[in-house]
Amino acid sequence: MATRRLSSLISRSFSASRLVDQGRNSSWAKGICQFGTAVAAEEPITPPVQVNYTQLLINGQFVDSALGKTFPTLDPRTEDVIAHVAEGDAEDINRAVSAARKAFDEGPWPRMSPYERSRILYRFADLLEKHNDEIAAIETWDNGKPYEQAALVEIPMFARLMRYYAGWADKIHGLTVPADGPHHVQVLHEPIGVAGQIIPWNFPLLMYAWKVGPALACGNTIVMKVAEQTPLSALYVSKLFHEAGLPPGVLNVIPGFGPTAGAALASHMDVDKLAFTGSTDTGKIVLQLAAKSNLKPVTLELGGKSPFIICEDADVDQAVEVAHFALFFNQGQCCCSGSRTFVHESVYDEFLEKSKARAMNRVVGDPFRKGVEQGPQIDLEQFNKIMRYIKSGIESGATLESGGERFGSKGYYIQPTVFSDVKDDMLIAKDEIFGPVQSILKFKDMDEVIRRANATRYGLAAGVFTKNIDTANTLVRAIRAGTIWVNCFDVFDAAIPFGGFKMSGNGREKGIYSLNNYLQVKAVVTPLKNPAWL
Amino acid sequence: MHKFADLIEQHLEELAALDSMDGGKLFFFNKVLDIPGSAETLRYYAGAADKIHGETLKMSSAYHAYTLREPIGVVGHIIPWNFPTVMFFMKVSPALAVGCTMIVKPAEQTPLSALYYAHLAKLAGIPDGVINVVTGFGSTAGAAICSHMDVDKISFTGSTEVGRLVMQAAATSNLKAVSLELGGKSPLIIFDDADVDMAVELAHLAIFFNKGEICVAGSRVYVQEGIYDEFVRKSAEKAKRRVVGDPFDPHVEQGPQVDKKQFEKILAYIEHGKKEGATLLTGGKPFGDKGYYIEPTIFTDVKEDMLIAKDEIFGPVMSLMKFKTVDEAIERGNKTRYGLAAGIVTKDLNVANRVSRSIRAGVIWINCYFAFDRDCPYGGYKMSGFGRDMGLHALDKYLQTKSVVTPLYDSPWL
């Protein structure tokens, strides 16, 4: 199964089956969108998979938590319990870190040849492909993202990422460098040791891949705290990883909550490195805990309020589609979503009309149903937060073009919502909403849009839509963000580094850059006697 | 490329047998070393295919610039007969990884496994026309590739004499890029503090492995005077015990030389050695009366100006010499137009560092020999050639660097 760019495959697979019914057309004429509730009232499709792994994974074994605690993980379509999962706390983190410590300090993993490590990663990728559909079903069930998105794009991308990292395992180079005098100098790049990794719920398996891939390719061991909202898929695939030959203790997976398990991991004195993806607020806590404990180095992938800038020469139809995708993809639950859509005044009216129509055509419903573009939000907390922001948008004077309400009466579905006449100082333009709420703003000239795009404490990504080479080059260099997508969005190929400026975080994931997060640099110096050259 | 590697592993026995029959190589070694190793080489480069990076650059004025590493195009690979499979994949793997297409001209002595690999490549899904194999002779097929106006690059492994012809043909035709991996007369320098038994073992391996038909053979063994006598005695014993015979027999350590021409050339060098006044310690004669088998042979009291010390013999003939000081070892080790490999046996950190930086050769093995690795670049200094195989450096041979430049206006940083 060839992996393709998210944007092109998603729009290709969904545009063919978009539903436009009579009801929507007539209500569009009134200028306000009314979504039918028929879809949500349907019986939820039974996921074609069983959940078999609900315990902590420590030292190659699935075990209950030390205190016997469990917590429920819910189906966001129905608010029903999918399964009760072991809840890890400080003691479980201790056990997991001990296992990872032992596996690193004494076990075979760092000592085996890099080629053998790569073979295990390649075998894991093969197993992912073999179980693609089951894995996608678990991911969809726990997270609510459309099944086709998981099965056709994300899981194949997961396998592809594992193969990318497998290929690095036997190619990790340090340098020999010149000295100013008669010394022989080598710089070794060594595995850093035990990596603590805390991952979020929006892309459970891709986030797993971005962390586990480089850490293992570099010869480290891992303790991973998975999100309480989506613990199931990581447990399933980690079982496959052990089938592929991963030695026990190399990868330990602990479902649990941030303030307990996550904090314990960030504070642990025997963890050599922490990598965190999540909200900026939690990122600040994680960094503090690392500082107060053993000063472990920390990389952070945090939130964003990424500008999507549509210039006057943009192809409007294309821009509408890409801007729509940039915001609404994954139920709006992307750290890098293009959540401030800046449109040049000369194309503003056309863009707005078309964006509104596109949002009203967005197919919301049971993610297991073919053709659905948008499933439910992840949980009640997010649902309530998004609804509060929508209310704030209306109250602060933005124009509600479409959506704005809950979708259906069960589950955390929200109508695709579009605001226009948004001003920079409105909350919906400043805060990360993490939901299907598009904010459209007008701009006049380049200097203005650069200033406004940069007027944020975030700096994760940006989209630029223009045909002009100079406009592109200028905006690319002027916007302070870690990824600039020109005439595209959400292109996440394996070699492309991803990460934030400013309060969107530090450090980069993917590509060769990700290896730096999991290596220590050791300089080795020895004198030379009568060197033939210096 | 991964599928190709899997197919090679699935056809291991047949491939091993082909190389044994064709090249006289030990069946056992083909099965456990040459062929599985080549599958691993393919996998190494498969993992490099998506990691070929150019750079964005730091221009001194308002320009945005970057380099693109592009596949160089059509590559001619001319490979020798001593390691038919290893050589095939050493060349083909990096060229495939970067996206080139190629013509392989295997040696006329050992064409069979190359044809089999071409067949497996097709089964693996490599599109037609990407790997072409033309069996034939150097002076006809090889020369035609080197002179072809539509070939962008030649990668040649073979003798220094033929390497000259390859380079000349490239120059007189379209100035195609050339890399050469040629012969050697590599020194193995053994210091007083060496473990004598380990050193004897290493030296034996360094010259007699693959019946001496290896470009990096440690064919000049320098032993420091303190351990010289014991070393000579033990080396002779070990050489006498080497089992020569049918390469399909798992107890055999040394098969026949590859063909009559090589066989006669080696025997001629042995005669030279005797005439020039070197002492024949052991061996020196053909082994048996059928096939191209030669006894493991050791000469002592060899001087650097003797033919057997200057020329690459490419057979099971060791030249053993005594030295006194580190300086002397370095000077004599470098006294050759070749520069492919060198071995150093010592525990002394300073000696190891000094000698490794002083010997003009592309690969220095300290307390080991033949320590090849997929990630370790390999190639020659001086008349042993230029360009590197293995490691990520090998990719450079098959890539062009293109700079792309465009002006910037109002950039907030430069």
Side-chain angles (χ1 to χ4, degrees):
Chain A
M1 165 82 63
T3 349
R4 309 209 185 107
R5 308 227 151 102
L6 281 169
S7 50
S8 60
L9 186 55
I10 292 285
S11 54
R12 237 180 286 159
S13 60
F14 292 156
S15 57
S17 52
R18 204 178 301 162
L19 301 174
V20 181
D21 65 32
Q22 293 298 319
R24 289 204 182 101
N25 276 337
S26 62
S27 54
W28 182 27
K30 293 192 214 139
I32 299 286
C33 169
Q34 299 287 345
F35 283 87
T37 55
V39 162
E42 280 172 16
E43 266 306 295
I45 294 168
T46 306
V49 73
Q50 269 193 319
V51 172
N52 292 324
Y53 304 105
T54 56
Q55 293 169 295
L56 316 179
L57 179 52
I58 300 180
N59 212 26
Q61 305 283 330
F62 282 105
V63 293
D64 292 330
S65 67
L67 298 175
K69 286 194 288 183
T70 65
F71 68 96
T73 185
L74 306 183
D75 182 341
R77 303 173 300 161
T78 61
E79 304 163 65
D80 292 338
V81 174
I82 302 174
H84 290 274
V85 179
E87 184 191 330
D89 204 324
E91 174 54 25
D92 306 290
I93 293 291
N94 278 339
R95 291 177 184 179
V97 172
S98 291
R101 188 84 257 159
K102 185 144 189 267
F104 183 79
D105 291 343
E106 298 165 33
W109 182 247
R111 290 158 189 79
M112 66 173 68
S113 80
Y115 178 77
E116 282 172 63
R117 273 197 292 278
S118 77
R119 295 297 286 145
I120 292 172
L121 269 63
Y122 280 121
R123 272 200 291 275
F124 178 51
D126 290 342
L127 286 171
L128 291 175
E129 282 181 340
K130 185 166 164 210
H131 296 272
N132 185 84
D133 294 351
E134 292 163 69
I135 297 169
I138 292 181
E139 189 85 323
T140 293
W141 198 359
D142 217 4
N143 169 280
K145 65 178 73 226
Y147 174 77
E148 285 171 303
Q149 179 183 316
L152 297 177
V153 180
E154 293 189 23
I155 312 307
M157 185 176 282
F158 181 11
R160 188 270 170 281
L161 282 164
M162 295 315 301
R163 292 198 174 102
Y164 176 83
Y165 287 114
W168 272 123
D170 54 1
K171 301 175 181 65
I172 296 179
H173 296 159
L175 299 174
T176 56
V177 302
D180 295 337
H183 285 94
H184 168 57
V185 185
Q186 308 174 52
V187 184
L188 298 172
H189 288 185
E190 303 186 344
I192 198 166
V194 173
Q197 304 182 319
I198 300 175
I199 62 172
W201 47 259
N202 57 343
F203 291 92
L205 288 176
L206 288 179
M207 294 294 104
Y208 176 103
W210 289 19
K211 302 259 182 298
V212 159
L216 293 184
C218 294
N220 297 290
T221 59
I222 298 171
V223 175
M224 176 178 278
K225 205 285 292 169
V226 294
E228 61 271 26
Q229 297 88 340
T230 53
L232 300 177
S233 55
L235 294 171
Y236 181 82
V237 302
S238 300
K239 168 80 168 58
L240 294 177
F241 222 146
H242 286 83
E243 268 177 45
L246 197 65
V250 174
L251 173 60
N252 306 278
V253 181
I254 309 290
F257 291 77
T260 48
L265 192 53
S267 318
H268 207 288
M269 294 297 285
D270 275 337
V271 168
D272 301 300
K273 159 78 197 187
L274 198 83
F276 170 84
T277 298
S279 72
T280 295
D281 286 338
T282 310
K284 285 173 154 186
I285 297 172
V286 163
L287 194 54
Q288 284 172 57
L289 292 175
K292 287 191 201 158
S293 55
N294 65 346
L295 283 172
K296 54 176 75 58
V298 179
T299 43
L300 301 171
E301 293 275 352
L302 308 175
K305 193 68 183 178
S306 303
F308 192 101
I309 300 170
I310 294 148
C311 302
E312 60 186 311
D313 69 338
D315 176 320
V316 175
D317 288 326
Q318 224 193 4
V320 164
E321 191 59 45
V322 182
H324 176 85
F325 175 77
L327 186 287
F328 288 103
F329 177 62
N330 207 49
Q331 293 71 252
Q333 296 167 155
C334 291
C335 43
C336 55
S337 63
S339 45
R340 289 181 293 152
T341 309
F342 289 97
V343 186
H344 191 272
E345 56 183 12
S346 63
V347 294
Y348 181 87
D349 292 334
E350 186 192 353
F351 182 89
L352 182 54
E353 275 312 292
K354 290 180 168 170
S355 294
K356 180 169 141 176
R358 180 61 182 95
M360 294 197 311
N361 281 336
R362 191 167 182 77
V363 182
V364 184
D366 186 333
F368 279 100
R369 191 159 54 80
K370 200 169 162 56
V372 162
E373 297 174 282
Q374 181 178 315
Q377 307 311 122
I378 187 69
D379 64 11
L380 187 62
E381 195 189 316
Q382 289 298 313
F383 176 88
N384 286 337
K385 176 176 140 193
I386 298 160
M387 295 310 292
R388 279 198 304 271
Y389 276 112
I390 293 175
K391 186 152 173 274
S392 153
I394 296 169
E395 281 167 3
S396 59
T399 306
L400 180 68
E401 298 284 347
S402 79
E405 319 239 315
R406 183 185 194 184
F407 180 95
S409 52
K410 196 162 183 218
Y412 309 121
Y413 298 88
I414 295 180
Q415 296 172 350
T417 299
V418 179
F419 280 106
S420 63
D421 303 320
V422 177
K423 303 287 177 283
D424 293 357
D425 56 2
M426 293 176 182
L427 272 182
I428 57 169
K430 291 201 297 197
D431 291 1
E432 185 180 43
I433 300 173
F434 230 65
V437 181
Q438 186 174 36
S439 293
I440 302 181
L441 308 99
K442 193 188 293 190
F443 78 93
K444 218 192 191 67
D445 63 61
M446 195 69 68
D447 286 335
E448 174 209 337
V449 78
I450 288 170
R451 190 182 34 83
R452 290 169 66 192
N454 281 335
T456 166
R457 292 228 168 267
Y458 290 116
L460 192 49
V464 169
F465 240 78
T466 178
K467 293 198 193 72
N468 184 294
I469 191 174
D470 296 325
T471 306
N473 280 333
T474 299
L475 285 172
V476 158
R477 283 176 174 239
I479 296 173
R480 305 287 296 162
T483 300
I484 318 283
W485 284 299
V486 180
N487 298 329
C488 61
F489 209 84
D490 279 347
V491 176
F492 282 115
D493 296 3
I496 307 175
F498 180 86
F501 281 37
K502 306 191 288 190
M503 291 183 82
S504 288
N506 52 61
R508 291 293 176 269
E509 294 189 300
K510 298 197 288 105
I512 190 176
Y513 294 81
S514 63
L515 304 176
N516 292 336
N517 300 333
Y518 299 102
L519 293 168
Q520 268 290 17
V521 175
K522 174 185 281 179
V524 179
V525 187
T526 188
L528 288 171
K529 302 231 163 25
N530 310 118
W533 59 271
L534 278 181
Chain B
M1 286 174 71
H2 280 286
K3 275 207 220 58
F4 195 359
D6 291 342
L7 284 167
I8 292 168
E9 285 176 343
Q10 285 161 34
H11 291 86
L12 199 53
E13 296 250 346
E14 295 162 74
L15 291 162
L18 272 180
D19 276 353
S20 284
M21 274 192 317
D22 228 3
K25 292 167 63 65
L26 299 181
F27 179 70
F28 175 73
F29 271 95
N30 286 347
K31 250 183 75 171
V32 308
L33 212 60
D34 288 43
I35 295 166
S38 299
E40 290 170 15
T41 298
L42 253 182
R43 291 196 180 107
Y44 174 91
Y45 286 106
D50 53 3
K51 298 174 178 62
I52 297 176
H53 300 149
E55 297 171 302
T56 55
L57 306 169
K58 200 72 171 160
M59 305 292 271
S60 300
S61 45
Y63 284 94
H64 169 59
Y66 53 91
T67 55
L68 293 172
R69 311 294 313 282
E70 302 187 338
I72 199 168
V74 175
V75 182
H77 295 301
I78 300 177
I79 60 176
W81 44 261
N82 58 342
F83 288 90
T85 293
V86 171
M87 291 290 149
F88 184 98
F89 287 101
M90 209 193 272
K91 301 233 184 287
V92 163
S93 310
L96 280 180
V98 312
C100 287
T101 58
M102 59 212 78
I103 302 140
V104 181
K105 205 282 299 163
E108 61 272 23
Q109 298 89 338
T110 53
L112 300 177
S113 55
L115 293 169
Y116 202 119
Y117 292 125
H119 163 69
L120 292 179
K122 196 178 161 83
L123 287 182
I126 291 175
D128 293 343
V130 173
I131 304 180
N132 305 279
V133 177
V134 179
T135 47
F137 290 76
S139 51
T140 46
I145 295 175
C146 295
S147 322
H148 206 287
M149 294 299 284
D150 277 337
V151 169
D152 302 298
K153 160 84 192 187
I154 292 281
S155 180
F156 170 84
T157 297
S159 70
T160 298
E161 300 87 58
V162 179
R164 283 186 199 274
L165 297 174
V166 166
M167 206 165 159
Q168 281 172 46
T172 50
S173 57
N174 66 346
L175 281 171
K176 55 176 68 59
V178 176
S179 53
L180 303 174
E181 204 268 279
L182 308 174
K185 195 72 183 176
S186 304
L188 173 58
I189 304 171
I190 299 166
F191 288 89
D192 269 344
D193 68 334
D195 174 318
V196 177
D197 290 324
M198 177 268 202
V200 165
E201 189 72 47
L202 203 64
H204 181 89
L205 176 75
I207 183 60
F208 295 120
F209 177 67
N210 206 52
K211 44 220 166 78
E213 291 168 346
I214 180 165
C215 42
V216 286
S219 43
R220 290 182 294 147
V221 183
Y222 292 93
V223 184
Q224 202 163 27
E225 54 184 9
I227 53 167
Y228 181 80
D229 293 331
E230 186 190 353
F231 186 92
V232 169
R233 184 174 44 80
K234 287 180 167 169
S235 295
E237 279 164 26
K238 191 155 174 71
K240 287 182 169 68
R241 284 200 305 271
R242 191 168 180 76
V243 180
V244 182
D246 185 330
F248 282 92
D249 181 340
H251 302 293
V252 159
E253 296 171 296
Q254 182 178 313
Q257 307 309 124
V258 74
D259 62 12
K260 185 163 196 224
K261 186 167 152 220
Q262 289 298 316
F263 176 77
E264 288 175 347
K265 177 175 140 191
I266 297 162
L267 291 174
Y269 274 113
I270 292 175
E271 287 316 303
H272 270 296
K274 291 182 199 161
K275 283 204 196 79
E276 289 175 310
T279 307
L280 182 64
L281 187 62
T282 180
K285 296 192 307 300
F287 177 90
D289 41 34
K290 196 172 170 188
Y292 308 124
Y293 300 88
I294 295 182
E295 290 177 345
T297 301
I298 302 180
F299 280 103
T300 56
D301 304 318
V302 178
K303 306 273 180 295
E304 264 85 23
D305 54 4
M306 293 180 185
L307 227 48
I308 58 167
K310 289 202 297 206
D311 290 3
E312 185 180 42
I313 299 174
F314 228 63
V317 181
M318 182 195 291
S319 293
L320 204 43
M321 290 159 279
K322 191 195 299 192
F323 77 92
K324 238 188 177 65
T325 65
V326 180
D327 285 328
E328 183 197 338
I330 290 169
E331 201 212 319
R332 291 169 71 187
N334 279 333
K335 218 192 210 105
T336 166
R337 291 233 167 266
Y338 289 114
L340 194 47
I344 305 170
V345 186
T346 179
K347 291 272 195 313
D348 188 303
L349 186 57
N350 290 322
V351 169
N353 278 334
R354 171 131 183 265
V355 179
S356 59
R357 282 175 173 239
S358 304
I359 300 281
R360 305 287 295 162
V363 186
I364 314 285
W365 287 307
I366 302 176
N367 296 330
C368 58
Y369 212 83
F370 297 140
F372 288 107
D373 194 282
R374 284 169 291 283
D375 197 40
C376 188
Y378 157 78
Y381 279 39
K382 307 192 288 192
M383 291 182 81
S384 290
F386 46 83
R388 291 292 175 267
D389 284 318
M390 302 310 254
L392 295 177
H393 283 266
L395 299 169
D396 292 340
K397 289 172 28 169
Y398 306 106
L399 290 166
Q400 274 285 20
T401 298
K402 172 186 282 179
S403 300
V404 180
V405 189
T406 187
L408 281 173
Y409 304 100
D410 306 312
S411 177
W413 59 271
L414 280 181

